[in-house]
Amino acid sequence: MADDTIYTIGHSTHSEQKFISLLQRHHINAIADVRSVPYSKFNPQYDRENLKKILQRHNIRYVFLGKEFGARTENSECYSQGQVQYDKIANTQEFKNGLKRIQTGVTSYNIALMCSEKAPIECHRTILVSRYVIEKLGLNVMHIMANGDLKSQQEILKPLISLNNDFFYSIEKQIEKAYKKQEAIIAYRQP
């Protein structure tokens, strides 16, 4: 039975065996793929169809939630000056539907939100999706690091918050500023 924790993982350049061992180590039995485009130019084992087969062999469920949680939305209202705005994505009905699916799924599965980036801080799975999983659903978020260790959302954000440490702002405001600053760096920009 699952608990109130959602995990995240980046497939990075991990071999199939390494990736599966990371999932098994943390008893993950469902992957929610949050990539907008579920294909990898350099790691074809992570193409949607290939990944689904790999996971099935290890009794791990797969669901594609790129429409709900992807960082490269097709919704033009979510862009400002050619750059996607995470708060606008979070206010779409698709994103809200994705949160409902996670809320339902976590009652039966140990879910890992999967994207491609190795470092959680460099990925929208942390700055966009995990943020709202915590804020809207009240779930814990733990990031599976490449070495297999777990880090909480707070641990991942700590370096960013320290860069925005300001005596005049509450911790909540400092966290909000940290999210916005990192979003400006990593959010998708239209070509």
Side-chain angles (χ1 to χ4, degrees), residues 7-10 14 18 21-23 25-26 118 120 125 142-152 155-156:
Y7 298 83
T8 84
I9 191 167
H14 296 310
K18 169 79 175 186
S21 73
L22 289 170
L23 297 177
R25 178 175 173 183
H26 299 290
K118 179 180 183 179
R125 72 180 186 269
M142 297 299 289
H143 301 278
I144 303 171
M145 307 306 289
N147 66 0
D149 290 348
L150 292 176
K151 286 193 176 183
S152 69
E155 289 174 290
I156 295 295

Side-chain angles (χ1 to χ4, degrees), residues 28 49 79 85 107 126 140 148:
I28 302 302
E49 295 78 15
Y79 289 84
Q85 303 296 300
T107 63
T126 301
N140 297 312

Side-chain angles (χ1 to χ4, degrees), residues 91-144:
N91 282 314
T92 65
Q93 191 58 51
E94 289 89 0
F95 192 90
K96 292 173 186 174
N97 291 344
L99 289 176
K100 286 178 187 173
R101 290 186 73 182
I102 293 296
Q103 188 170 38
T104 300
V106 76
T107 63
S108 302
Y109 298 97
N110 286 323
I111 301 169
L113 306 173
M114 187 206 74
C115 202
S116 58
E117 288 80 7
K118 179 180 183 179
I121 198 66
E122 296 173 1
C123 185
H124 82 288
R125 72 180 186 269
T126 301
I127 304 303
L128 171 60
V129 186
S130 295
R131 175 184 184 177
Y132 290 98
V133 163
I134 292 167
E135 290 179 11
K136 301 294 185 188
L137 302 181
L139 299 173
N140 297 312
V141 174
M142 297 299 289
H143 301 278
I144 303 171

Side-chain angles (χ1 to χ4, degrees), residues 7 9 11 14 19 31 36 43 46 59-60 69 73 77 79 84 103 116 150-151 167-168 184 191:
Y7 298 83
I9 191 167
H11 68 64
H14 296 310
F19 184 69
I31 286 288
S36 295
N43 297 287
Y46 296 110
N59 297 313
I60 300 171
F69 293 138
T73 181
E77 294 178 10
Y79 289 84
V84 74
Q103 188 170 38
S116 58
L150 292 176
K151 286 193 176 183
F167 174 78
F168 295 103

